[in-house]
Amino acid sequence: MEYSLNELQKTIRQMARTIAEEKILPVRATLDEKEEFPWAIMKDLADTDMFRVFVPEEYGGLGGGCLELCLVIEELSRVCPGVAVSYAGSLLGSFDLLKYGSEEQKRKYLPDIASGKRLAAFGVTEEEAGSDIGNIKTTATRTDEGYVINGTKRFTTNGGEADIYTVVVLTDKARGARGASVLLVEKDTPGFSFGRKEKKMGIRTSATRELVFEDCLVPAENLIGREGMGFIMTVNLFDYTRPGIAAQAVGVAQGALEAATDYARERIQFGHPIISFQAVQHMLANMAIDVEAARALVYAVARTIDSGGKKFSKESAMAKVFASDAAMRVTTDAVQILGGVGYMRDYPVEKMMRDAKITQIYEGTNQVLRNTIALELRKKKAS
Ligand SMILES: Cc1cc2nc3c(=O)[nH]c(=O)nc-3n(C[C@H](O)[C@H](O)[C@H](O)COP(=O)(O)OP(=O)(O)OC[C@H]3O[C@@H](n4cnc5c(N)ncnc54)[C@H](O)[C@@H]3O)c2cc1C
């Protein structure tokens, strides 16, 4: 489908596609097998200015918006969603800086993030605070020297690999979620270390790790935004970044559709290519419908965000839910179309099915996001 992309958007998409095909494709199975962080590819992405896409020009970026970012994530995910989320994790970790950071904080950190010299990461999730992010327990006590952080974050994407961490902490424990704030912590800060590294079903090349804070002192100027705004900032952050997860889902679904179509053209059974059987044709048709419908919704929401729309919580959730459910259907059917070999690691579709699953879980599970959508519907009568 024609999406009327402008010249810059087409260039960005083509560059991301080239990196995906030339640099990621040859190593994706090895990265998955070894569960190795894709540092060489992060360097390729940095060298081709891909980290600049989401940073404003005054801080060394290209000044792109949500759509440009989605195009990069989609192309990388078409080949390897694990690489894509390592890239996108740096946006997640820098978003609060971009939106709420002081001029001084932006000048200090954003140029290095834009050049890809330093990766960023974002941590809100804790053992007792998953879907219920208002239940975080990590504290940051204000002292004359700054904030002293204690607690553990879990499942942090880019944990251990990134240099810059934005973490949600309680600066006023008594007020619960209303006492939450966002602090920036640099990797080598004393009292900050990394715990358990998760062994995952999919997106195995990405790093998912615990952040451990033990009397970790950070300067008061590392507060992003204002004290007490952390919960609202986090809810807002995910409204902006969920289309990126949806783009990840569109990319992996597109990759699976292509792999299944190619295989169905080549595979001969009963004297005919299996693509000549109507049962297979209809599966491929449904997969193509899913991919295109998801893409159209993701781009539409991204454009709404980029045009300065103020209320897009519901739409952002819809894009993430629809695209991730579609990705799960499409990748599962891709395995089915490849038959026995689809189940084998020699072919890429089993990895795609494993990689697709996470898109239904992180940045708000699809059940919780359906709650969000329903809540909006309950608020006012449909016009
Ligand atoms: C690979 C990976 C990377 C991640 N990266 C990050 C990161 O970079 N930073 C970060 O902060 N977090 C990250 N997360 C955390 C992720 O966002 C959470 O795992 C997710 O929000 C779900 O929380 P949970 O795992 O605690 O599940 P739970 O909240 O325990 O949910 C368990 C089940 O209960 C359901 N459920 C819970 N509450 C409700 C409800 N009210 N209504 C209906 N159903 C409900 C859920 O849908 C789910 O099916 C990552 C997680 C993974 C697996």
Side-chain angles (χ1 to χ4, degrees), residues 11 67 79 226:
T11 306
L67 182 55
V79 173
R226 295 202 315 272

Side-chain angles (χ1 to χ4, degrees), residues 71 141 259 290 305 334:
L71 293 170
T141 310
D290 257 342
I305 293 174

Side-chain angles (χ1 to χ4, degrees), residues 30-42:
T30 313
L31 289 173
D32 180 64
E33 193 87 20
K34 295 192 171 165
E35 307 193 23
E36 238 173 48
F37 191 76
W39 270 117
I41 294 161
M42 291 299 114

Side-chain angles (χ1 to χ4, degrees), residues 85 89 92-93 121-133 153-159 166 168 198 200-203 206-209 211 234 237-238 242 358 360-369 371:
V85 77
L92 194 66
F122 172 79
V124 63
T125 305
E126 297 178 9
E127 196 167 331
E128 292 173 51
S131 301
D132 185 8
I133 58 167
K153 295 286 168 190
R154 77 165 171 182
F155 298 163
T156 306
T157 298
N158 287 351
T166 46
V168 189
E198 304 297 340
K200 305 189 292 291
M201 170 198 273
I203 56 164
S206 70
T208 312
R209 199 148 176 200
L211 313 181
T234 304
L237 158 88
F238 289 136
R242 271 182 198 123
I358 189 61
Q360 294 180 308
I361 296 172
Y362 55 20
E363 293 207 13
T365 66
N366 283 5
Q367 290 96 320
V368 168
L369 293 183
N371 294 348

Side-chain angles (χ1 to χ4, degrees), residues 250-320:
V250 172
V252 69
Q254 175 69 42
L257 171 63
E258 289 171 23
T261 310
D262 289 349
Y263 186 84
R265 283 201 199 101
E266 301 294 323
R267 174 71 174 162
I268 308 290
Q269 287 292 278
F270 302 99
H272 300 279
I274 60 168
I275 203 165
S276 65
F277 305 134
Q278 198 176 50
V280 174
Q281 288 173 3
H282 284 190
M283 283 173 84
L284 288 169
N286 284 335
M287 290 157 74
I289 294 166
D290 257 342
V291 173
E292 213 56 62
R295 182 178 286 123
L297 182 56
V298 175
Y299 289 9
V301 175
R303 284 187 158 127
T304 302
I305 293 174
D306 291 340
S307 62
K310 293 274 176 271
K311 280 178 69 68
F312 46 81
S313 214
K314 181 175 90 213
E315 291 72 15
S316 179
M318 283 175 166
K320 195 271 197 185

